[in-house]
């Protein structure tokens, strides 16, 4: 029987103190039901954003305890399926987003999602369901679900979609995995601070690599490997992702730093995940035929 974690079990921060709501073994398939990033508080376009309880945004369903996962391991999460609701929300919040310095109004827009298409006014867009928040507990302390780091969290990487495999470092026994913040569609950067925020259902398969782990979260797609950097600004996020990428190239090809640094200029693409949340995100992307996952696990 596939385990289902209902969206009534949510956390607002990743922490070793979070009580697990379910347990599963590596190899098991688990379904996470999620509510939208605004906590389901926006009912329609007339909902005043001033009525939102901001302590209830960015909920992540979980945490799930993975038997056998120990500090130093890698948790492997295969995204088997993402089914999103038929109604997405997008908002503008004054003082936020890439153009946070502009004078603009709070605004709510409801977008319909139907048959794989998202409708914005009369513009039809192909929906690409993805997971904004996917993370594990840090070794100590409390990390709000609205930010990102080595533990994953609010990465907002469009490639964390159906068919992707995510590698996360395990910091505590059981890993304590939680998932939330689904988007029916999000472009790189998440410019206005929100994407097409939807509730949904994520089906994953768990895996575990014992005794080694990545320095940063890794996302593997059929064609690419993405190293997920984070930072106070985009420069720092780019540096973090690049450090790991250059180190992995040096390991993969037994090169010294200078050669790996040069090769990085030729084969690594730096892309913006999101430019708006407390931690900004940049990923270093490389074609899979040029790097093995093993070079990223230590
Ligand atoms: Ca997000
Ligand atoms: Ca979001």
């Amino acid at each position: 029987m596939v385990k289902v974690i209902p969206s009534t079990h949510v956390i607002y921060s990743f922490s070793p103190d979070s009580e697990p709501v379910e347990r599963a073994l590596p190899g098991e398939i688990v379904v996470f039901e999620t509510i939208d990033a605004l906590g389901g508080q926006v009912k329609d376009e007339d909902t005043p954003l001033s009525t939102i309880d901001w302590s209830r945004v960015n909920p992540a369903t979980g945490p799930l305890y993975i038997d056998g996962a120990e500090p130093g391991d890698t948790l492997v999460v295969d995204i088997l399926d993402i089914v999103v609701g038929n109604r997405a929300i997008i908002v503008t919040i004054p003082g936020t987003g890439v153009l946070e310095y502009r004078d603009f109004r709070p605004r709510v827009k409801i977008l319909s999602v139907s048959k794989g298409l998202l409708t914005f006014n009369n513009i039809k867009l192909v929906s690409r369901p993805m997971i904004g928040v996917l993370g594990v507990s840090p070794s100590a302390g409390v990390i709000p679900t609205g930010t990102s780091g080595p533990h994953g969290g609010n990465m907002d990487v469009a490639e964390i979609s159906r068919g992707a495999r995510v590698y996360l470092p395990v910091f505590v026994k059981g890993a304590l995995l939680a998932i939330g913040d689904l988007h029916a569609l999000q472009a790189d950067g998440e410019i206005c601070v929100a994407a097409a925020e939807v509730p949904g259902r994520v089906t994953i398969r768990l895996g575990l690599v014992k005794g080694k782990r990545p320095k940063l979260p890794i996302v593997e797609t059929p064609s690419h490997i993405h190293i997920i950097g984070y930072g106070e600004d985009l420069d720092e996020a780019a540096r973090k992702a690049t450090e790991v990428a250059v180190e992995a190239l040096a390991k993969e090809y037994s090169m010294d730093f200078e050669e790996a640094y040069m090769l990085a200029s030729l084969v690594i693409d730096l892309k913006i995940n999101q430019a708006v949340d407390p931690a900004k995100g940049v990923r270093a992307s490389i074609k899979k035929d040029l790097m093995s996952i093993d070079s990223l696990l230590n």
Side-chain angles (χ1 to χ4, degrees):
M1 253 252 302
V2 172
K3 287 170 182 157
V4 178
I5 307 180
S7 61
T8 43
H9 293 302
V10 294
I11 56 172
Y12 298 96
S13 56
F14 292 97
S15 159
D17 299 328
S18 290
E19 203 56 45
V21 295
E22 184 60 272
R23 297 175 79 107
L25 287 161
E28 259 192 85
I29 291 172
V30 181
V31 172
F32 288 69
E33 294 180 342
T34 64
I35 50 176
D36 69 58
L38 291 152
Q41 300 180 80
V42 175
K43 302 298 178 204
D44 53 47
E45 295 189 345
D46 296 324
T47 301
L49 291 178
S50 57
T51 63
I52 301 283
D53 175 355
W54 296 102
S55 68
R56 288 199 291 132
V57 301
N58 271 306
T61 301
L64 172 69
Y65 186 102
I66 294 96
D67 283 306
E70 292 173 307
D73 297 343
T74 300
L75 180 66
V76 182
V77 180
D78 283 324
I79 315 297
L80 301 182
D81 199 16
I82 303 175
V83 177
V84 296
N86 56 15
R87 178 181 165 279
I89 298 159
I90 188 159
V91 295
T92 51
I93 304 168
T96 66
V98 175
L99 304 185
E100 60 189 6
Y101 52 86
R102 289 278 300 262
D103 188 19
F104 59 87
R105 291 170 296 149
R107 184 98 181 261
V108 176
K109 221 166 162 56
I110 308 285
L111 315 173
S112 76
V113 189
S114 171
K115 296 178 180 151
L117 290 176
L118 180 75
T119 307
F120 187 105
N121 295 347
N122 57 357
I123 308 167
K124 302 275 186 204
L125 302 166
V126 175
S127 168
R128 192 183 179 203
M130 55 158 280
I131 300 168
V133 172
L134 185 150
V136 293
S137 169
S139 54
V142 171
I143 303 181
T145 47
T147 190
S148 64
H151 71 294
N154 193 8
M155 296 184 282
D156 288 322
V157 170
E159 283 86 359
I160 305 182
S161 59
R162 185 182 307 146
R165 171 173 281 186
V166 183
Y167 300 80
L168 292 170
V170 176
F171 297 106
V172 298
K173 262 177 91 99
L176 303 182
L177 174 70
I179 294 175
D181 188 27
L182 303 190
H183 299 152
L185 184 63
Q186 183 217 300
D188 277 356
E190 205 185 17
I191 285 175
C192 86
V193 88
E197 310 291 338
V198 273
R201 214 176 138 86
V202 178
T203 306
I204 62 157
R205 187 194 298 110
L206 297 161
L208 199 59
V209 179
K210 293 298 291 178
K212 46 188 176 178
R213 67 182 176 188
K215 283 191 177 153
L216 290 174
I218 307 295
V219 178
E220 181 183 0
T221 67
S223 61
H224 284 79
I225 289 171
H226 307 274
I227 300 157
I228 313 304
Y230 67 99
E232 279 192 15
D233 55 31
L234 291 172
D235 285 348
E236 188 190 356
R239 270 195 302 275
K240 284 209 163 83
T242 302
E243 283 277 357
V244 171
V246 170
E247 192 179 294
L249 282 174
K251 188 173 166 191
E252 179 87 28
Y253 296 104
S254 304
M255 286 174 176
D256 57 24
F257 173 81
E258 290 79 9
E259 280 195 333
Y261 198 23
M262 286 188 253
L263 183 59
S265 260
L266 309 179
V267 301
I268 302 279
D269 289 314
L270 290 177
K271 299 176 184 174
I272 295 173
N273 310 331
Q274 44 99 332
V276 294
D277 282 329
K280 313 282 192 263
V282 170
R283 62 197 183 283
S285 304
I286 184 167
K287 284 189 182 143
K288 246 162 87 170
D289 55 3
L290 289 167
M291 191 183 287
S292 57
I293 289 293
D294 214 43
S295 292
L296 286 156
L297 305 182
N298 294 291

